[in-house]
Amino acid sequence: MARKKLIAGNWKMNCLTAEGTDLAKTIAAEVKKMGKPECEFLVCPPFTLLGTVKKSLRGTKVALGAQDCHFAEKGAHTGDISPLMLTDLGCKYVILGHSERRADHLESNELINKKAVAAHKAGLKTVICIGETLAEREAGKAIDVCKEQILGSVPDDSTAADTVIAYEPVWAIGTGKVPTTNDVEEVHAAVRKVLAKKLGKSNANKMRILYGGSVKPSNAKELLSLSDVDGALIGGASLKADDFIAIAKNAGC
Ligand code: PEP
């Protein structure tokens, strides 16, 4: 089953206007030079830059995404952003359940599921993040944790057209540590199995499962050529256009 790889940048809480504009424009220009790339590209700036980056990406092959959303359409939720506000700004994707949100904001699988339902309803594609902590990996529970997170946070009616899964071992995010290729392959295969049970074989075979956690140009080829790895969610290295593009090129885009 051919799945188009997704190369996604999660800018997290980084970049002011000038830096974000420059980053988006440089990435878009480099993607343009690639002609007809084999991959899809996505950047997810902080909320404050969505409007600005949208302008920088207009007419390019790089999609715009957000890093979170609320589950309500509108209303009394001070400081929150609704899925409709994101589509209104030109977003095509939203990242949900990133481990930093699960940790910093105590987001549960149930809450992430509600957000995903609302995002899909508004026409957004979701990148739903899962992944085990170091203690869970060392206790041999990595696959069980990912399974539980998928069953709880992925809506029952999700399809390959509206959902992407990102496997991000928490201990590999921003640390420079990366699991062995065997471990990545094992988890991705297990994730696809769980998706098949939950969403049907056809959806599971078509659904993209990204790897995230210290992806850089030097390890991109190895990680992104593994079976069942359909792209990358990139944090730190997505803030340098050269690295982001080098990852894509090394991944065969
Ligand atoms: C992330 O935050 O999604 C991530 C994978 O970060 P990094 O690439 O910096 O490890």
Side-chain angles (χ1 to χ4, degrees):
M1 166 64 54
R3 293 176 292 264
K4 196 166 193 177
K5 282 192 169 58
L6 176 64
I7 307 296
N10 173 14
W11 295 5
K12 310 194 187 191
M13 198 172 71
N14 291 296
C15 294
L16 301 180
T17 309
E19 197 185 351
T21 307
D22 191 50
L23 181 57
K25 283 187 175 165
T26 312
I27 288 171
E30 289 300 319
V31 170
K32 192 175 178 193
K33 282 189 208 158
M34 292 167 79
K36 284 191 179 158
E38 297 286 327
C39 306
E40 216 183 302
F41 289 86
L42 168 68
V43 293
C44 301
F47 290 130
T48 49
L49 287 184
L50 289 173
T52 311
V53 171
K54 179 198 172 182
K55 286 183 198 147
S56 304
L57 297 181
R58 189 169 287 147
T60 75
K61 289 203 173 98
V62 183
L64 181 68
Q67 299 171 19
D68 181 44
C69 68
H70 197 273
F71 57 80
E73 266 180 33
K74 60 180 178 177
H77 300 286
T78 303
D80 279 313
I81 306 283
S82 80
L84 273 180
M85 290 170 174
L86 297 180
T87 52
D88 188 44
L89 270 176
C91 290
K92 297 277 181 267
Y93 283 87
V94 61
I95 298 171
L96 293 175
H98 191 283
S99 63
E100 285 153 14
R101 291 208 62 87
R102 289 179 187 262
D104 295 355
H105 300 271
L106 306 179
E107 292 199 0
S108 64
N109 290 326
E110 194 188 358
L111 176 65
I112 295 157
N113 193 311
K114 277 174 86 172
K115 291 182 177 197
V117 168
H120 293 160
K121 190 172 166 218
L124 288 166
K125 296 181 190 203
T126 52
V127 178
I128 300 177
C129 302
I130 58 166
E132 81 285 359
T133 62
L134 185 58
E136 289 163 342
R137 167 139 306 261
E138 286 175 346
K141 291 184 185 155
I143 287 178
D144 286 346
V145 168
C146 291
K147 187 174 172 184
E148 196 183 320
Q149 289 174 336
I150 290 172
L151 293 178
S153 54
V154 177
D156 291 341
D157 60 355
S158 298
T159 68
D162 63 24
T163 304
V164 174
I165 305 296
Y167 168 56
E168 301 203 305
V170 179
W171 52 274
I173 295 179
T175 58
K177 291 182 193 153
V178 177
T180 65
T181 48
N182 278 351
D183 287 344
V184 174
E185 259 186 334
E186 188 189 21
V187 175
H188 279 239
V191 166
R192 203 171 299 284
K193 246 190 180 169
V194 178
L195 291 171
K197 267 204 170 158
K198 184 178 169 77
L199 308 173
K201 240 186 168 173
S202 164
N203 268 320
N205 285 340
K206 288 186 230 154
M207 191 169 284
R208 289 174 294 185
I209 306 170
L210 313 184
Y211 168 76
S214 296
V215 176
K216 47 192 177 197
S218 57
N219 60 21
K221 187 173 179 190
E222 190 177 34
L223 287 165
L224 276 83
S225 60
L226 298 173
S227 54
D228 285 311
V229 176
D230 309 310
L233 182 55
I234 306 156
S238 74
L239 295 171
K240 289 186 192 137
D242 287 354
D243 284 355
F244 187 65
I245 294 298
I247 288 170
K249 286 185 177 163
N250 292 350
C253 301

